[in-house]
Amino acid sequence: QGEVENLVQAVGFDRCTILRPAVLLCKRQESRPMEWIAQQFLGVVARVFPTAYSVPVGTVARAMVACVLQPGEGKVEVLENGAIHELGKA
């Protein structure tokens, strides 16, 4: 767990969902050449292995909405990339 995750959990929310997406596939306004190259490569990989190393930002957004609309499994829920893809399908 990361330091920020520990701090968020320490606040004592009734329910907390932590999302841990892989590389976000999105267009950026600022120039990051290495990130652009990684996104191009991972975009191709995602066609064969869609949940392995990347996730589109729209999928993450849909997963966030789904987390709010459905009851969680516990006080703190951690969603890794595969679970984010599952929730974000709708």
Side-chain angles (χ1 to χ4, degrees):
Q1 292 181 359
E3 185 177 337
V4 172
E5 290 178 11
N6 291 333
L7 291 171
V8 169
Q9 291 179 43
V11 171
F13 294 113
D14 291 337
R15 180 174 164 228
C16 175
T17 304
I18 297 169
L19 284 81
R20 295 179 182 160
V23 174
L24 296 173
L25 296 177
C26 64
K27 293 182 181 177
R28 292 185 170 273
Q29 291 183 350
E30 65 271 6
S31 175
R32 294 181 179 179
M34 291 307 292
E35 185 176 280
W36 181 87
I37 291 169
Q39 284 188 0
Q40 300 309 304
F41 173 75
L42 291 173
V44 172
V45 171
R47 292 185 187 131
V48 180
F49 304 105
T51 64
Y53 304 107
S54 61
V55 61
V57 293
T59 301
V60 177
R62 287 190 300 275
M64 289 176 169
V65 171
C67 288
V68 172
L69 297 177
Q70 67 186 21
E73 295 181 10
K75 184 174 174 78
V76 177
E77 186 175 17
V78 177
L79 302 177
E80 300 291 345
N81 201 54
I84 293 168
H85 272 275
E86 284 299 313
L87 270 178
K89 281 183 179 177

